[in-house]
Amino acid sequence: MKTLKGKLVAGALSAVLASASIPALAADSNKPIRIPTHNWSSQVVMAHIIGGIFESLGNNVEYVPADSQGVYEAIRNGDITISHEVWQSTFGKSFYNAMEKGGLIDAGTHEASTLEELGVPSYVVENNLCPGLPDWEALKNCPEVFATADSGGKGRILEGPQSWHGDLMPVRIKALGLEDKYVVKFAGSADAIWAELASAKKEGRGIITFNWTPNFTDADGFDFIAFPPYEQGCRVEDGGDGSCGSPKGWLKKAANYKFPKTHPNAYKVFSKLSFSTKDIGQMAALVDIDKMSHEDAAKKWLADHKDVWMPFTE
Ligand code: TMO
C-alpha cells in the first residue's frame, strides 16, 4: 500500500510530467482541407487516403480537381491546402517557383524515390527488339521497330498528357538529334498509355512510352531508357540544351503556409506522412489492375494497411 508521502510524491511527479509534456494543440478549424486530384491513379487514390486519415481525426475535407502544374499557384494563394505528390522531375520547378513567391511550404518528403522517364516494357529488351537498349543511343538504329500507323514512318514515342511537363520530351528528342527518326505523340490520358502498353504486349510489339516509378508497372517489368544523366541546369528552362534524361528524384509534399496554424493536428499528421515505393505501387494497382474506383481503392488500402498509416497519427 502506498504511503501518503508516496502518493504526494507521485502526484507531484505526474504534475511535473504533465507540464513538461507537449502542450495540447489547439483544435483544428472545421473549414474543409482542400485536397487536389490530378490525372494519374496513385495521386487520386492517395488524395482519398489522406482525406480518409484527416476525417479519422475529425477534420472536414474537400477534393478539388486541379491542373497538376497550376496547383502550386493555387496552394500559394490558399485556394488549395496541400499537394501530396510533388514529383521532382515534372513539378519541382513549379513547386520552387511558388515557394519563392511566398505562401507555399515544403511539408516533407516521402520515403519513395522517383523516376519519370521514357522507357520500354521489359520484353522489348529481353527479346532484343532494339539491340543496345536501354542505352538511348540504341534508338538511332531502330526507329522502325517503334513505328505506328500515324507516325509517318518514324518511331513513335508515346508521351503522357501535355499538361504534365509540356514540351520536355520533344525538346529532348531534338536536342539529342533524334527528331528525324522519332516523333513524340501526347496521350490524352494515363489510361491511353496503359491501353497502348497492353495491346503492344499482346502482340509482342515494340513500344516506347513515358512512365514513372513508383507505379503499378513496377511489378510488370518496365525498363527506363538511360539518357545522358540529369545534371542541374541541363534543361532548357534552366539554361541548358535539354539533352539530358530525367533526375532520379524525390517525392515531396507541399502545403499552404497557413495550414499549420488553421489545422495544427492535421498538419502534424501530414508532415509525418511518408509512403514507400511499395505503398504507392499498391495504390495505383488497385485502380489500374484491379479496376476499383479511386474512392473504393482508398478505403481498401486504409483498411488493409493500418500498420502503415496509423503511426503517422500518433
Ligand atoms: C507526374 N507523373 C507521375 C505522372 O509523372
Side-chain angles (χ1 to χ4, degrees), residues 141-213:
N141 304 320
C142 34
E144 67 286 352
V145 171
F146 303 105
T148 53
D150 62 347
S151 65
K154 296 182 181 183
R156 179 198 59 169
I157 293 170
L158 185 61
E159 167 61 307
Q162 198 162 10
S163 61
W164 288 344
H165 41 231
D167 287 339
L168 180 73
M169 295 306 174
V171 165
R172 184 195 296 179
I173 293 309
K174 189 170 178 195
L176 290 169
L178 293 173
E179 69 171 336
D180 293 341
K181 295 181 173 171
Y182 288 86
V183 58
V184 176
K185 300 269 181 182
F186 292 96
S189 64
D191 278 347
I193 303 176
W194 316 141
E196 288 275 327
L197 279 171
S199 73
K201 184 178 180 179
K202 233 187 213 167
E203 298 164 24
R205 178 161 47 81
I207 182 170
I208 303 172
T209 73
F210 178 71
N211 195 357
W212 55 91
T213 179

Side-chain angles (χ1 to χ4, degrees), residues 83-86 95-96 99 104-112 250-255 267 269-275:
S83 170
H84 50 277
E85 276 195 20
V86 187
F95 168 80
Y96 282 123
M99 190 180 290
L104 176 145
I105 58 174
D106 182 334
T109 308
H110 288 282
E111 177 190 322
W250 40 249
L251 186 66
K252 277 188 174 292
K253 298 165 290 170
Y267 177 74
V269 172
F270 183 59
S271 64
K272 269 176 115 176
L273 179 137
S274 164
F275 291 124

Side-chain angles (χ1 to χ4, degrees), residues 40 87 90-91 116 164 210 212:
W40 65 95
W87 294 68
T90 296
F91 308 122
E116 305 168 74
W164 288 344
F210 178 71
W212 55 91

